[in-house]
Amino acid sequence: MLRRTLNLGILAHVDAGKTTLTERLLFAAGVIDEVGSVDDGTTQTDSLTLERQRGITIKSAVVSFAIGDVSVNLIDTPGHPDFIAEVERALNVLDGAVLVISAVEGVQPQTSILMRALQRLRVPTLIFVNKIDRRGADDERVLRAISERLTPAIVAMGSAHGLGTRAVGFAGWDAADPGVAAGLIEALAEHSDSLLAAYVRDEQGISPGRLCHELTAQTRRGSVHPVFFGSALTGAGVDSLMRGIAELLPAAGRDADGPVSGRVFKIERSAAGEKIAYVRMFSGTVRTRDRVRFGRGGERKVTSISVFADGPAVRRESVSAGEIGTLRGLAEIQVGDAIGTPRRQPQPHQFAPPTLETVVVPRDPGGKGALRAALAQLTEQDPLINVRQDDARQEISVSLYGEVQKEVIGATLAADYGLDVGFRESTTICVERPVGTGAAVERLHQPPNPFLATIGLRIVPAPAGSGVDFRIEGELAGSMPIAFFRAVEDTARETLRQGLYGWEVTDVVVTMTHSGYLGKHSLGHARFSKSLSSTGEDYRGLTPLVLVTALQRAGTVVCEPIHHFRLDLPADTLGVVLPALTRLRAIPRTQVTRDGSLTLEGDIPAARVHELRQQLPPLTRGEGVLECAFDRYQPVTGPIPTRPRSDDNPLDRDEYLRRVTRRTPGSGGYG
Ligand SMILES: Nc1nc2c(ncn2[C@@H]2O[C@H](COP(=O)(O)OP(=O)(O)OP(=O)(O)O)[C@@H](O)[C@H]2O)c(=O)[nH]1
Ligand SMILES: [Mg+2]
């Protein structure tokens, strides 16, 4: 029997039960004899000391098991918003997903964020409504919330009974039942003209087989989402979910003889410090001792391979299309790197970048070098930590999603690197957006341009969330070597990391409007004496000047991150909570009261979330529950925050030229 492989992600809001469900699936599949518990720190996937101590998942982890002829590689992801970057990396390697929703808490802020990303990427997704054994579980309410807040394209795969008790159960439906068939047709005809036509022709004539077939096809396309109910704790409903996973989700492609192509979604270090890269293969086969290409031009020999197969990873000679394996020997590899020929483009970021940053201070003042080295290793595993060095102040800062991540970084530095560090108070990371259009040109041989290059750039504002788009005006194509265009683009992107106020510039289209170079052939006509022709350095040197001038003409506005909050509190505490919200610049927008409990939703600057979290317990007798998720950037009102700029600051033109021409002896040769 030919086995199929399915790379499956489990995603959810924090605490919905992903790790517990993973444990239950491993048990049901016969991989483990006893179900471990998150609360006792005995699960397979929460294996880090920190995870066991805190009872939350921090890093994604892979386990595998078989359901019939399907080998499932399951990636258990963290749900805490501080670790969303882990989820993002996993999303790039999935064939399918299970989105877990608590039957008590229902759809939570992170649930919506994750579902939107899954839908954008068209990852076929099943929904598992978990914790139906808990008091307060309400299947109808959750179904309604899913269809109102996540997607109307859902099909309940059966019904739960004995809700809120340990004796809870789940019974799958029978497609031959006329009531079930009618519901299925209604849900599926929406996305299938042929099914709709068949239904119009003959209402009774659609066979249960055809409906099941259509359900599978639409689920695999990501057009419809089957919903299961159960309890990871008691095991109720887990068999049905497993059948759904095996039957409704698509298998990975198995082109083992094709060109080598894979993607690294996790990096770990062995106890001895050796890098271990987790790779999902899309096509081809990598064998031990093969030299493989990765990232932006690295190439190394693979020294050992392990492959996930019905349990933990086991040593193998090779890893092939569809499989997940760990590779050793690729010293410079980074998380997110492609291996071989990039088959699938890495997706643009699905989630908002970190909105906080903090200065990391080694308690031992001599420990700066060791700290930098340790943080560099951590960024290999998590590039969004984005270590920044402030030369003027001799400080090292890292970006953060939140305070929990800060504690985790501190604990990791202590445990894995023996470094005792402190952190300054976190500050918000703002962005700059251009407010208008601005353009600038510097031409070859036209003083004061000291570089052997002509560059013209235009800056135009782009829609929120669109990032940086670099274009080359049509008629310039082929006007100079491609490497020079690339140097301009790379440098432009780099320069935009610090705008007029020191923040990263985003939501902008940069268009190259002028280009020109001096080739070797034209040397005979040159007026200057030295035998020079344009080099990449000229483009890298000139781009920041042109770009910053264009940016100054466009002008920028500093925008701060705003979170959407949802706050549950006892109704009688509203009187003291509202003034606190106002002090923190939070704006409540909706207010719903139910059974003496009140839910406020609204906006709050990311900078104030931590304070609100700290103030809440005394204001609400410890009963307030706050959930926040990044919503958008919004122009700052009041004093404009600036960020110290690094040395290569093209805003001060003379200083910049002094620095750059000193570094680049070839430039500055004009005149
Ligand atoms: N009653 C009940 N409790 C559950 C169920 N599933 C999980 N829990 C409990 O919910 C808590 C969180 O479970 P986890 O499995 O760690 O949730 P998670 O989604 O992996 O959490 P993060 O990885 O930190 O986002 C633990 O205390 C579990 O024991 C369930 O089906 N019923
Ligand atoms: Mg977990």
Side-chain angles (χ1 to χ4, degrees):
M1 175 165 47
L2 191 63
R3 291 183 72 92
R4 296 182 293 143
T5 306
L6 165 68
N7 295 297
L8 177 75
I10 299 214
L11 284 74
H13 189 92
V14 66
D15 267 357
K18 298 171 290 292
T19 301
T20 309
L21 178 62
T22 302
E23 203 65 19
R24 182 54 72 173
L25 290 169
L26 287 172
F27 176 74
V31 173
I32 51 175
D33 299 330
E34 225 174 291
V35 186
S37 142
V38 172
D39 310 289
D40 302 339
T42 52
T43 63
Q44 299 294 307
T45 49
D46 280 357
S47 57
L48 303 177
T49 315
L50 263 178
E51 295 181 316
R52 299 194 156 184
Q53 283 167 351
R54 291 179 155 266
I56 61 166
T57 305
I58 294 166
K59 294 269 172 200
S60 54
V62 186
V63 288
S64 79
F65 55 89
I67 310 176
D69 66 338
V70 183
S71 291
V72 181
N73 293 324
L74 182 155
I75 306 181
D76 177 22
T77 63
H80 195 288
D82 281 15
F83 308 113
I84 187 102
E86 282 290 296
V87 184
E88 167 130 359
R89 292 187 271 274
L91 280 176
N92 279 319
V93 302
L94 300 181
D95 302 307
V98 173
L99 181 72
V100 181
I101 301 176
S102 160
V104 182
E105 280 83 13
V107 172
Q108 293 170 282
Q110 202 74 354
T111 323
S112 316
I113 291 173
L114 295 168
M115 186 64 178
R116 278 202 295 275
L118 289 164
Q119 288 182 307
R120 269 196 304 271
L121 297 171
R122 296 219 140 243
V123 178
T125 301
L126 310 180
I127 295 174
F128 184 68
V129 178
N130 188 32
K131 304 197 183 184
I132 57 173
D133 61 297
R134 258 182 61 193
R135 254 209 9 237
D138 185 340
D139 50 347
E140 292 295 322
R141 190 184 69 223
V142 176
L143 266 184
R144 240 188 346 267
I146 294 173
S147 86
E148 282 166 12
R149 293 169 57 190
L150 299 183
T151 168
I154 51 172
V155 173
M157 298 298 288
S159 56
H161 49 82
L163 249 70
T165 68
R166 292 289 292 190
V168 71
F170 174 79
W173 43 241
D174 177 357
D177 178 317
V180 170
L184 271 175
I185 291 169
E186 191 185 321
L188 298 173
E190 184 88 4
H191 307 277
S192 165
D193 291 342
S194 66
L195 187 69
L196 184 63
Y199 177 69
V200 172
R201 255 194 326 273
D202 175 6
E203 265 182 53
Q204 312 297 324
I206 301 175
S207 70
R210 162 125 200 232
L211 283 177
C212 290
H213 179 79
E214 188 63 39
L215 175 65
T216 305
Q218 292 196 18
T219 306
R220 290 184 178 177
R221 284 203 300 273
S223 330
V224 85
H225 305 283
V227 183
F228 296 83
F229 293 84
S231 162
L233 206 62
T234 69
V238 172
D239 287 348
S240 298
L241 175 68
M242 282 175 92
R243 261 199 308 284
I245 290 171
E247 290 167 12
L248 296 169
L249 292 175
R254 301 295 313 245
D255 181 14
D257 300 323
V260 167
S261 174
R263 191 162 295 281
V264 179
F265 62 93
K266 173 182 165 99
I267 296 230
E268 218 172 54
R269 281 188 184 258
S270 70
E274 190 186 12
K275 235 186 227 182
I276 306 171
Y278 285 65
V279 179
R280 187 251 153 103
M281 295 296 295
F282 294 109
S283 92
T285 298
V286 172
R287 297 179 183 77
T288 320
R289 289 178 298 281
D290 278 359
R291 288 190 76 82
V292 297
R293 271 187 298 122
F294 54 85
R296 299 191 88 185
E299 195 181 300
R300 284 272 178 177
K301 193 191 276 182
V302 177
T303 55
S304 104
I305 297 177
S306 295
V307 175
F308 286 91
D310 304 352
V314 288
R315 279 292 276 277
R316 284 255 207 91
E317 269 307 294
S318 64
V319 56
S320 302
E323 294 177 322
I324 288 181
T326 59
L327 307 185
R328 294 182 189 227
L330 312 177
E332 297 84 11
I333 204 155
Q334 304 255 357
V335 83
D337 276 358
I339 290 220
T341 323
R343 234 312 163 77
R344 285 191 192 173
Q345 280 306 311
Q347 304 294 337
H349 286 308
Q350 294 301 320
F351 306 114
T355 54
L356 298 173
E357 67 183 340
T358 180
V359 173
V360 193
V361 190
R363 300 235 196 260
D364 166 14
K368 282 221 168 108
L371 175 60
R372 248 195 310 274
L375 287 172
Q377 285 200 357
L378 291 188
T379 48
E380 286 164 355
Q381 300 166 24
D382 186 354
L384 289 176
I385 289 180
N386 192 17
V387 179
R388 241 169 40 91
Q389 166 88 23
D390 179 343
D391 299 320
R393 300 190 199 175
Q394 287 285 306
E395 285 175 352
I396 306 170
S397 50
V398 294
S399 26
L400 291 175
Y401 277 101
E403 298 303 312
V404 176
Q405 189 190 9
K406 191 177 189 175
E407 286 171 40
V408 168
I409 292 176
T412 308
L413 288 171
D416 296 358
Y417 299 91
L419 287 170
D420 188 11
V421 301
F423 295 93
R424 297 255 179 80
E425 200 176 317
S426 308
T427 52
T428 350
I429 303 176
C430 295
V431 297
E432 289 180 42
R433 287 192 179 128
V435 282
T437 297
V441 192
E442 295 271 359
R443 290 175 210 276
L444 184 72
H445 293 167
Q446 281 188 11
N449 173 13
F451 299 99
L452 296 177
T454 295
I455 297 175
L457 295 172
R458 184 173 57 235
I459 279 183
V460 179
S466 60
V468 176
D469 189 5
F470 184 88
R471 299 176 190 169
I472 296 168
E473 208 118 82
E475 64 266 28
L476 297 190
S479 64
M480 64 177 192
I482 191 108
F484 294 163
F485 283 117
R486 205 166 293 141
V488 175
E489 170 165 4
D490 289 351
T491 315
R493 288 184 184 278
E494 185 58 35
T495 307
L496 287 173
R497 290 168 62 108
Q498 295 189 28
L500 306 179
Y501 300 91
W503 305 104
E504 184 155 353
V505 182
T506 187
D507 301 335
V508 56
V509 179
V510 180
T511 306
M512 188 160 178
T513 52
H514 298 73
S515 68
Y517 79 114
L518 192 62
K520 288 215 167 62
H521 59 276
S522 54
L523 281 179
H525 314 291
R527 289 190 291 125
F528 55 88
S529 55
K530 288 179 225 145
S531 59
L532 287 172
S533 55
S534 304
T535 69
E537 288 303 320
D538 289 302
Y539 293 89
R540 278 187 282 276
L542 182 56
T543 299
L545 285 179
V546 181
L547 189 76
V548 163
T549 309
L551 198 61
Q552 283 169 324
R553 291 177 181 158
T556 63
V557 57
V558 174
C559 301
E560 67 175 334
I562 303 289
H563 282 206
H564 178 86
F565 74 82
R566 183 191 155 103
L567 176 55
D568 293 318
L569 67 166
D572 63 315
T573 60
L574 184 65
V576 289
V577 170
L578 274 182
L581 289 175
T582 309
R583 272 197 305 279
L584 297 171
R585 291 199 288 132
I587 302 175
R589 298 197 185 275
T590 62
Q591 177 175 335
V592 180
T593 318
R594 194 183 294 137
D595 314 327
S597 154
L598 201 148
T599 304
L600 287 178
E601 290 194 42
D603 295 338
I604 178 168
R608 297 311 186 78
V609 169
H610 184 54
E611 280 161 89
L612 178 56
R613 216 176 276 290
Q614 285 181 320
Q615 293 181 12
L616 213 51
L619 294 178
T620 60
R621 302 188 294 271
E623 289 177 46
V625 179
L626 174 69
E627 286 173 341
C628 286
F630 173 85
D631 187 53
R632 63 184 186 277
Y633 285 97
Q634 174 176 294
V636 170
T637 49
I640 296 176
T642 58
R643 173 152 79 171
R645 305 168 54 90
S646 72
D647 278 356
D648 284 346
N649 177 356
L651 277 181
D652 180 346
R653 190 184 174 102
D654 294 337
E655 174 58 25
Y656 172 79
L657 283 177
R658 252 198 308 283
R659 278 180 186 283
V660 174
T661 50
R662 209 183 312 133
R663 263 210 315 255
T664 321
S667 61
Y670 175 77

